[in-house]
Amino acid sequence: MTKPEVFAKIVENTHARRELLWLRAQEKEDFETARSLEEIDPGLVGRLSAAGFDIGERPGERPDERRERFGLLQDECFRLHELAVEASCRREA
């Protein structure tokens, strides 16, 4: 499966798409968008936490550190979804 096909599969997955959008909103400090996504998908934050993502507030964390952390979390989340798509395709083959 090509990278564009994997990307398309991730984007088709509502939960995956919302999780990645929420992490991006957090990275960009777009808290209004993050709240809107939480309202649309009340289980979103719980899923990310259950998957082991460190999304909690960190007292004393500088804004640049927070942005870096959420950018890395978004990359990690994308990679996990990418691996899930690839595994699913292998099972279907």
Side-chain angles (χ1 to χ4, degrees), residues 71-82:
L72 292 172
L73 289 173
Q74 183 183 16
D75 293 343
E76 183 180 344
C77 185
F78 182 86
R79 183 65 184 140
L80 289 176
H81 286 300
E82 186 177 40

Side-chain angles (χ1 to χ4, degrees), residues 17-34:
R17 184 176 62 249
R18 288 178 183 159
E19 291 164 6
L20 291 165
L21 287 170
W22 186 87
L23 289 167
R24 177 70 172 174
Q26 292 292 333
E27 177 190 8
K28 296 300 179 185
E29 299 177 342
D30 182 356
F31 303 118
E32 183 178 334
T33 297

Side-chain angles (χ1 to χ4, degrees), residues 26-60:
Q26 292 292 333
E27 177 190 8
K28 296 300 179 185
E29 299 177 342
D30 182 356
F31 303 118
E32 183 178 334
T33 297
R35 277 190 300 276
S36 293
L37 287 163
E38 291 169 26
E39 289 173 13
I40 292 167
D41 185 352
L44 186 150
V45 173
R47 281 194 311 277
L48 289 169
S49 293
F53 291 99
D54 180 16
I55 58 174
E57 292 298 319
R58 292 183 179 174

